Amino acid sequence: MSPGLEPFDPKVKKEYRYGEFANIVTSMDYERLLCSTGPYQGEILRGSDRKHPHKIAWIQCVGSRRVTPGENSYCSAVCCTYTQKQVILTKDHDADAECTIFHNDIRSYGKDFERYYERTEKLPGVRFIRSYTSIVREDPKTKNVTVRYSTNEDGVKEEEFDMVVLSVGLNPPADVKSIANKFGIDLNPHDFCKINTVNPMATNRAGIFVSGGFQGPVDIPESVFSASGAGSQIGELLDYRRGNLSRERIYPPERDVSGEEPRIGVFVCHCGANIGRIVNVPDTVEYCKTLPNVVHAQEQLFSCATNSAKEITDITREKGLNRVVIAACSPRTLEPLFRDTVREAGINQYYMEMANIREHNSWVHSKEKEDATQKAKDIIRMSLARACRLEPLQEFDLPVNKAALVVGGGIAGMTCALSIAKQGHEVHLVEKNRELGGIARRLHSTLDGLDVQDYLRDLIAKVYKNPSIHVYHDATITDAKGYVGNFVTSVKSERGLTQIKHGAAIIAIGADLYTPTEYLYGQDDRVTTHLELEERITQGDEKIVNAQSLVMIQCVGCRNEDRNYCSRLCCSQAVKNALRLKDINPEMDIYILFRDMRTYGFNEDYYREASNRDIKFIRYEPQDLPEIEAGESDEGRPVLKVTVTDFVLGKKLVLDADIISLAAAVIPSAATKEIAGLFKVTLSPDGFFKEAHVKLKPVEFGTDGVYLCGLAHYPKFMQETINQAYGAAGRVLTLLSRDTVVASGSVAQVDESKCIGCGACVSACTYGVLELRDVKKGKKATVNPVLCKGDGLCNTKCPTGAIQLKHYTDEELLSEIDVAFPQEEILQQLDTAVGYV
C-alpha cells in the first residue's frame, strides 16, 4: 500500500492569512508557478497584478513541528530542501531577486543536501533568518505583505515582501482512516501507518505491506527503495508463482533501412520548464525543418511521457522514418526508453540519437536565452549529422548465474541476503570480521525502544539457519571479475581461497566512525563519543549514570571543510542517550550544544520530550565553537569547563561537565576505495558509494549487476537501512529472476590490419576486455564483447586507430565536428588570422 501524502492546507487552520491576502501562496502553489504547465507557463507572477515579484519570503514549518495538541508535531522532513530548490529556481528566473528564508532548524540531512544548502546560502541576495514569524498586514494599494520577525541583533522587525511562500508540511491521506478500516491495518498517533522498526514495510496484517509516504514523511529516494523493498517481500510470499503469468514482449519485425537515404524525425522536448523556459523550442523546431534529411520535426512537452513516446512510435511508422533524434535530456537517464520507442516502430534501436539540450545547454546557460537557443540548434544539427551515419547494431543475450554475493554482514547485508535466499537463490555472505552484525553490535536501543541486541541475535540466527546462505568470516576479497549475470569473485576466508560465481553483487560494507582529535578526546577519559556513551549507559557505568552534569557536542568531524555533509543520525542519538540518562538519573543536568537539531520525521516528538524534561539545548555557530578545559566547580569538584556562546542570551556561558559526549561523524568504511576498485563502481565527493541516480536508482550502481545498501551508501537509521536492504534485494531479483540478460551492441572492435600489437589498449582497459593474441601476422589485440562496457578508453590510446567503438566511430563523431564548424567558417578564420599576422 502506498496511498501517498497530502500537503498541509493553511486555510483549514486559517494560518498566515492564506486565502485572505492575494500574494501569500503555499509552496505547492509556487511549484505550479515554476512549472511550464502552470497558470503562467512557467513565469513567476503575482496573483494580484500579474507582475513579477522581486522580493520573496519563505516561511518554514507551516503545518509541522507544532506544539499545540491535535496538530502535526512531527517534522515533514522534505520542506527545508524543497524550499532551497525553489530559491535556486527563482534566482534562475530572476538573478536579482531577493529571497529570504525564515526558519527554525535547517534540516539538510540527506545525501549531498548540505552542499545544496551551502550553494543556496551563498547565492547573492539570499538570506537565511532563524526566527518565528507572523503576517502583519497587506498594503491595500501594492498588495505587498508585511512579515514580523526577530533577530538576535536587532530584536523585533517588520519587513515588506512582494510575495510570501508558506512551506507547507505533509499530511497523511485525507481518507487514511477509511483505508485503514478497509484493510484492517493500524495507524500511529499521527495517522500514518503503524510500522515495525525491524521491518518498516510490514503492517499488522500479514501479506499487506506499505511503502513511500504512508510510512511517514520521506523524500523520493526513500520512497523508491521502500517500494522496491515491499515488492521484494511480496516476492518472498509469491515466489512459487514467479513467471507463471508473465508474457514475452514481442516487437514488430525490424526493417532493413541500411540502404535507404536518411529520413530523420526530430522531437524537441520542453522538459517542463527545464528546457522550454530557456530555449525557444518552437523556433528551434522550425530551424530543424530546414536541415538536410529532416522529414518531420515537432515539439513535445515531455518526450518521456507515455503518450509522447507512443506519438514518436506512431509518427516513425507512419512517415517511414529511419532515424530519430530526440532533443531532450541526458541519455544517461532515458536512452533505454527512447531506444525501446523506436524498436516499437520497427527500426533498429541504434538508429535513435539523443541531443542533450538540457544538461549541456539550458541548465548551464539559464541566463543567456538567445545563446542557449542557438546552442540548441547547433547541438541538434550535430546530432543529425551523426544520425545519418549510424549503423544497426545487434545486442546479444548472456546467461544469468542465479546466485548473489553480499559483501558485508551487518544489518543491511543480512537483511538483503535473507530476502534473496527466501526467493530461492543461493547467497554468499562475505564478512570481514569473525562475527556478523557490523556496527549494530555496539547499539543497544533505538529511540522507540527496540532492543537492538535481541533483534540482532534473532537476525543472525535466521541467517545461519537458512540453507541457501553461505557465510564467509574473516573474509577478504582478493579479486572480482566478470560482468552482469556472470561474476567471479575470489574470497580468502576461514574456508581458504574460494572462487564464488554469482550473477549479482550487493555492497553493504557499512561505515566507520570518526575518531575525534578535538575537545580533549583521547586525552581525558571524561570525554567520550555518543556510541561509547550508549555502551557505558547499558553497562551501568557509575561514572556516567551518577554524573551531576553532562554536555553533548554535536557535529564533531562533519559539516566542515573536511567532511561537508551531515551524519544524519547524531541529533537523534544525542536525544536518545539524554532521555535514557534522565530515566536513570532525573536530577542530572544535561546540555546539548548543536548547530541545527535534525530530528526529522517522527523523531521530532522525542526532541520535544527531551526539551520538556529539562534537557537544555544551546545553539552554537561553526565560527564560534565550544571550548573545553579542565577545572573545578564552585564546590571544588573536578570538572571540564565548557565555554559556549548562547546567541539567544547574547553572551558566553560556562558549563561544568562531569562527562562530555561528542557526536562523532559517520565516515566511509576504510575498505570503500578498495571495494570500489574491485567492482568498478564510483564514489561520491564525500567518499561514500555513488548510486546510479540519486532519485530513480538509489540502490543501483552505474556498473550493471552491482547494487548497494546501508551505511555504505550514506548514514541512515536502522529502519532506513532495512528499507534500503529490502529495496536492493528487490532490484537484485529483477536480474536473478531472468534466464538471460541483454548486453549492449556498442562494444569495441579491432581492425587487425591496422593493429601493431603494442598493447596500449590492453593496459588502458580496466575491465579486462582486451588481450594480445598470437595470430599469423603476429600479436594482435582481441576484444571480449561480453565484458566490454563501451567506455572508449581503448580508442583514445590506440596509436594507429585500429580500435573503433561501435556506435561511436570516428566517422560518426567527426561528422558532428564538421557541421559544428563548417569548413568555410574555419577557412575564413584562418584568413583573418593570417591577415592579422
Side-chain angles (χ1 to χ4, degrees), residues 201 315 321:
M201 288 143 287
I315 289 174
L321 304 180

PDB file of all heavy atoms in Angstrom, residues 201 315 321:
ATOM      1  N   MET A 201       8.213  -2.024   6.229  1.00  0.00           N
ATOM      2  CA  MET A 201       7.225  -2.211   5.164  1.00  0.00           C
ATOM      3  C   MET A 201       6.072  -3.104   5.584  1.00  0.00           C
ATOM      4  O   MET A 201       5.055  -3.186   4.912  1.00  0.00           O
ATOM      5  CB  MET A 201       7.896  -2.786   3.914  1.00  0.00           C
ATOM      6  CG  MET A 201       8.765  -1.776   3.194  1.00  0.00           C
ATOM      7  SD  MET A 201      10.263  -2.510   2.513  1.00  0.00           S
ATOM      8  CE  MET A 201      11.233  -2.778   3.987  1.00  0.00           C
ATOM      9  N   ILE A 315       4.516   8.174 -35.332  1.00  0.00           N
ATOM     10  CA  ILE A 315       4.980   9.042 -36.423  1.00  0.00           C
ATOM     11  C   ILE A 315       6.131   8.382 -37.174  1.00  0.00           C
ATOM     12  O   ILE A 315       6.227   8.479 -38.413  1.00  0.00           O
ATOM     13  CB  ILE A 315       5.389  10.423 -35.863  1.00  0.00           C
ATOM     14  CG1 ILE A 315       4.131  11.182 -35.421  1.00  0.00           C
ATOM     15  CG2 ILE A 315       6.178  11.231 -36.896  1.00  0.00           C
ATOM     16  CD1 ILE A 315       4.385  12.481 -34.726  1.00  0.00           C
ATOM     17  N   LEU A 321      10.066   6.979 -41.119  1.00  0.00           N
ATOM     18  CA  LEU A 321      11.352   7.495 -40.637  1.00  0.00           C
ATOM     19  C   LEU A 321      12.319   6.328 -40.445  1.00  0.00           C
ATOM     20  O   LEU A 321      11.928   5.238 -40.035  1.00  0.00           O
ATOM     21  CB  LEU A 321      11.166   8.229 -39.303  1.00  0.00           C
ATOM     22  CG  LEU A 321      10.149   9.378 -39.258  1.00  0.00           C
ATOM     23  CD1 LEU A 321      10.095   9.980 -37.868  1.00  0.00           C
ATOM     24  CD2 LEU A 321      10.502  10.434 -40.288  1.00  0.00           C
TER      25      LEU A 321
END
